[in-house]
Amino acid sequence: RQRQMCIRDSSKPFTYNNLLQNLNGILRLRRSWDLDKISTGEAAKYPVLEGGELAKTVKERLSVVPDPDVTVSVVAMGLVPLIRVTGTHVHIQFRPTTSRCGMKEQIRGDLEKAARSTPGINSATVEIVTAPWNAEMIAPDGVEFLKLV
């Protein structure tokens, strides 16, 4: 069952109230899913890396981009199903947790910026895909972080 996680209005500046709203998003997530029962088997499949070592380096750069609502990396959340490097260009697929996510354009921009900061990458495109997302796509370290909050 898909949960609405993108709740923050991206037009508002980041403030203490927005931080509280993000923490509320995490608490809602924790109440919605039994984090101890999440099987992270799906997480091992993502992201698919095409392009050798440079694709791995791009993945490391993308791993610092947080989902603004839960402050977990979009890579750890399983929201990046594909990283494809061709020459000096990288194509990234980004899967929002829900099609109504109000933060998807901000996250797209953050992913592009992080990818372009990778040595050897001159250009980046981020494709927003509508493939379904579920909690089992969260990487084990993402689940552990959510348990700590």
Side-chain angles (χ1 to χ4, degrees):
R1 203 166 68 176
Q2 193 172 27
R3 301 284 182 185
Q4 175 72 20
M5 289 175 48
C6 293
I7 54 172
R8 200 179 92 193
D9 181 351
S10 62
S11 66
K12 295 180 183 175
F14 191 79
T15 63
Y16 180 73
N17 287 337
N18 287 340
L19 175 63
L20 292 177
Q21 194 172 13
N22 289 354
L23 291 174
N24 284 333
I26 293 171
L27 294 174
R28 234 184 356 271
L29 176 82
R30 290 189 65 186
R31 284 191 300 269
S32 302
W33 297 321
D34 186 345
L35 294 173
D36 291 320
K37 293 184 180 176
I38 289 177
S39 164
T40 56
E42 284 287 308
K45 299 178 186 177
Y46 304 108
V48 173
L49 301 175
E50 298 177 5
E53 290 301 314
L54 192 50
K56 289 179 185 177
T57 305
V58 171
K59 177 188 173 190
E60 291 173 15
R61 293 289 175 128
L62 300 182
S63 293
V64 300
V65 176
D67 177 314
D69 289 325
V70 293
T71 65
V72 175
S73 156
V74 292
V75 172
M77 288 290 292
L79 303 178
V80 179
L82 174 71
I83 299 170
R84 178 184 299 130
V85 175
T86 309
T88 61
H89 177 77
V90 63
H91 176 81
I92 301 159
Q93 286 185 344
F94 164 59
R95 170 188 20 230
T97 55
T98 174
S99 62
R100 298 181 309 255
C101 177
M103 301 301 292
K104 63 185 166 190
E105 290 303 323
Q106 177 185 333
I107 295 170
R108 174 195 288 203
D110 292 346
L111 288 169
E112 284 179 0
K113 183 177 178 182
R116 284 194 314 269
S117 75
T118 307
I121 296 295
N122 293 331
S123 63
T125 56
V126 177
E127 172 190 10
I128 296 178
V129 296
T130 58
W133 176 88
N134 65 65
E136 292 185 356
M137 293 176 182
I138 303 173
D141 57 336
V143 172
E144 291 306 312
F145 176 81
L146 290 169
K147 286 179 183 179
L148 294 174
V149 176

